[in-house]
């Protein structure tokens, strides 16, 4: 896919009016950070804009949204940030059917190319890293509020700089953000974003780990979450988002399987892979898919024990194949 | 304390022969990383050296120590890295009584100034960040093995770039390391250093969280570890090192208290503070001390429930004072 230069992207942005900034459903730190940063940038140009999302912004991102208010207006154009595919807009597709997206700022290798123009780099760790480059290459100063947005987005998408998508350029971007704004509460933001959990979620984690099932000499681990536990512990669906990483923490685990029973009785399965397992291949056996190190599938019936055993057996067999 | 320039430190290092590199007891990623990096640097100058530590290097640092072998020789001089105080040398003080430390490379603000010369910067996140500066300012290329040592040390001392000691210069150093060596297994190292736990430790965490005690409207949290659980779950003392951070993960907690019963019956208490609590002051009430956000004390007798209640009561009272 062809990408604009930072200069070309800026020229497009400066020519817009009454902009609706689209971010993806189930919003995370990166789409919120890049969306709000873009809003603040457009505002500094005297251009009216608002961020639109199919879902409510989670409270943990209050540091980005507090104090930002959007005017009511009928959008005259659309820009998408961190949205790889129109489907990820969720209900915004009904609110703005077939809207023409003038510009998409994105870092997903899988970007579907639905926008008229793209400022796109699949080597960037986050859409926020692209926003950083856009500003830097155009010599536009970062305000403190924009710096905070970009920090949160980059930190979120790199697992607080833990994943391999945090490359040299990513670290250089954060070095520059911290050089310009040494006193932002980075450690506190990190604690809020990565460490804090509700007591209910912590008790849930505990209970899941006490009941972890293992096979293939400890290389396959499975946790099963009955729907009743969520109600009992008052844990929301949002709160269980990062659960799939839990069994990956066990020393020696190569395939980590998380099975969440839904209210409907359906089982939603997430898998994570370690050094060599291809969990996408395992998920495909159950009609799912994904990436080598992160995949998922759904199973529509069966008793919990059977479903878990079947998943463990297939994963173990494929791991040892 | 006066610090040498990178050039002066290098001049001293180049003049040494048969060097014993001293690191602190209970070795962590930073002293191991800087110690091994210094050994590799001296080796490249044709200078014989070895790393000495009072305790065994934990297996999780195998990525730094594998393939490095030290010759047997009688040391003719000593260099300390990441050692703030002679006391931290542990039993090395008996092995090398009153040894003259020619040079200390350190980043602790509390450095006691016991060495003849110091290459010291309390703003550096890690001794490994100082080693990075030493090489960079002297235009000495980093080998891949040295880069790996420096990465691990800096990552360890900053909680994988999560703490506020990870400043702009820290991120710039990692950017340079990743630019020169983009293919080191950073994410795998991070997983090994920060995420992986034994199954016993994970079950222990789970059980501790299920039994967490809370007071002061959820601002004080306490976990109590009976000695019997360690034996039952096969968890070693080393493995419980990071336990004090566990209750800090609960949303809203301002004082996190961890009480570990020892084999002798003594209670070792660690406290962590959130945004405003001074846990050092709380620990002082029990004859201990520490820093504002991390302190500790020992309690020598009492029934577990009484001890826990007393700690919670004092912490709650001081928090609300």
């Amino acid at each position: 896919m062809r990408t604009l230069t930072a200069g070309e992207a800026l020229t497009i942005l400066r020519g817009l009016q009454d902009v609706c900034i689209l971010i993806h459903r189930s919003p995370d730190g990166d789409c919120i950070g890049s969306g709000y940063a873009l809003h603040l940038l457009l505002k500094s140009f005297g251009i009216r804009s608002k961020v639109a999302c199919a879902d409510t912004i989670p409270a943990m991102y209050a540091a980005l949204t507090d104090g930002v208010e959007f005017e009511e207006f009928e959008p005259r154009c659309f820009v998408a940030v961190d949205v790889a595919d129109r489907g990820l807009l969720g209900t915004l597709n009904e609110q703005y059917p077939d809207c023409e997206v003038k510009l998409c700022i994105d870092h997903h290798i899988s970007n579907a190319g639905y926008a008229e123009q793209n400022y796109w780099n699949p080597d960037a760790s986050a859409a926020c890293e692209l926003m950083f480059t856009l500003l830097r290459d155009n010599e536009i100063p970062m305000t403190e509020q924009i710096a905070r947005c970009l920090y949160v987005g980059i930190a979120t998408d790199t697992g607080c700089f833990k994943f391999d998508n945090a490359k040299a350029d990513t670290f250089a971007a954060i070095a520059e953000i911290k050089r310009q704004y040494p006193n932002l509460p980075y450690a506190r933001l990190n604690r809020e974003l990565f460490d804090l959990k509700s007591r209910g979620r912590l008790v849930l984690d505990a209970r899941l780990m006490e009941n972890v099932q293992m096979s293939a000499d400890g290389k396959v681990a499975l946790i099963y979450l009955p729907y009743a536990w969520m109600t009992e512990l008052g844990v929301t669906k949002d709160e269980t988002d990062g659960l799939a990483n839990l069994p990956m923490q066990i020393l020696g685990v190569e395939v980590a399987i998380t099975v969440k029973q839904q209210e409907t009785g359906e089982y939603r399965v997430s898998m994570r892979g370690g050094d060599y397992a291809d969990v996408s291949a395992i998920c495909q056996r159950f009609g799912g898919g994904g990436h080598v190190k992160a995949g998922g599938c759904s199973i529509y019936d069966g008793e919990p024990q059977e479903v878990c055993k079947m998943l463990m057996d297939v994963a173990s067999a494929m791991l040892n194949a």
Side-chain angles (χ1 to χ4, degrees), chain A:
Chain A
M1 195 166 76
R2 194 184 105 72
T3 177
L4 302 172
T5 65
E8 290 166 341
L10 183 68
T11 303
I12 292 183
L13 288 172
R14 281 196 187 274
L16 301 179
Q17 275 190 304
D18 290 353
V19 187
C20 182
I21 300 167
L22 307 167
I23 65 176
H24 61 72
R25 67 179 181 204
S26 304
D28 60 15
D30 190 29
C31 74
I32 300 165
S34 50
Y36 276 71
L38 180 57
H39 165 73
L40 295 165
L41 177 68
L42 291 171
K43 191 174 177 185
S44 76
F45 298 158
I47 299 170
R48 188 155 68 161
S49 74
K50 60 183 173 187
V51 174
C53 184
D55 299 310
T56 311
I57 309 279
M60 69 193 288
Y61 299 109
L64 306 189
T65 58
D66 274 3
V68 178
E69 287 190 15
F70 301 127
E71 283 181 54
E72 282 290 328
F73 63 87
E74 198 53 44
R76 292 170 64 177
C77 57
F78 295 85
V79 175
V81 290
D82 198 40
V83 180
D85 193 285
R86 267 187 197 275
L88 297 169
L89 294 173
T91 54
L92 290 178
N93 280 312
E94 289 134 49
Q95 194 176 348
Y96 304 117
D98 302 316
C99 64
E100 280 177 21
V101 178
K102 280 262 182 234
L103 175 65
C104 172
I105 299 174
D106 190 29
H107 69 119
H108 291 94
I109 184 91
S110 59
N111 189 291
Y114 60 90
E116 287 178 30
Q117 305 267 14
N118 293 282
Y119 182 56
W120 174 72
N121 182 359
D123 285 331
S125 64
C128 278
E129 191 179 323
L130 279 166
M131 285 299 298
F132 174 85
T133 316
L134 181 75
L135 294 174
R136 185 197 59 197
D137 290 0
N138 286 298
E139 293 177 15
I140 298 172
M142 240 184 320
T143 63
E144 183 177 302
Q145 222 178 344
I146 288 181
R148 186 192 301 257
C149 287
L150 302 188
Y151 178 81
V152 166
I154 296 172
T156 305
D157 263 23
T158 59
C160 206
F161 317 107
K162 201 179 265 185
F163 307 149
D164 273 335
N165 64 347
K167 299 199 178 81
D169 287 347
T170 315
F171 276 85
I174 301 293
E176 186 55 29
I177 289 172
K178 290 204 170 196
R179 196 187 62 72
Q180 288 187 38
Y181 297 101
N183 296 321
L184 281 176
Y186 299 103
R188 198 205 306 176
L189 288 168
N190 295 336
R191 183 171 172 238
E192 287 166 6
L193 294 167
F194 303 106
D195 291 344
L196 292 184
K197 297 173 184 179
S198 70
R199 192 174 163 194
R201 166 67 202 270
L202 282 163
V203 171
L204 178 66
D205 285 12
R207 202 182 280 186
L208 290 167
M209 285 312 306
E210 289 219 78
N211 292 288
V212 64
Q213 300 173 48
M214 309 212 47
S215 68
D217 289 330
K219 290 201 283 291
V220 176
L222 180 146
I223 55 175
Y224 170 63
L225 169 53
Y227 185 75
W229 288 5
M230 309 259 302
T231 335
E232 179 194 337
L233 299 171
V235 172
T236 64
K237 202 173 151 293
D238 281 359
E239 281 187 281
T240 65
D241 275 351
L243 217 52
N245 297 317
L246 200 62
M248 266 319 274
Q249 288 177 23
I250 306 171
L251 201 67
V253 167
E254 188 51 35
V255 177
I257 308 174
T258 301
V259 184
K260 296 183 200 172
Q261 186 187 44
Q262 306 296 300
E263 201 171 358
T264 56
E266 175 194 338
Y267 303 97
R268 292 259 175 88
V269 181
S270 304
M271 292 197 197
R272 295 288 179 272
D275 290 335
Y276 56 88
D278 177 359
V279 296
S280 158
I282 305 173
C283 291
Q284 280 169 32
R285 288 282 198 96
F286 298 97
H291 310 280
V292 173
K293 289 186 191 290
C297 59
S298 285
I299 293 174
Y300 296 93
D301 47 31
E303 286 303 307
Q305 303 92 305
E306 288 165 32
V307 169
C308 293
K309 184 170 185 312
M310 178 174 69
L311 286 161
M312 302 254 288
D313 287 351
V314 171
S316 303
M318 288 183 72
L319 200 59
N320 291 324

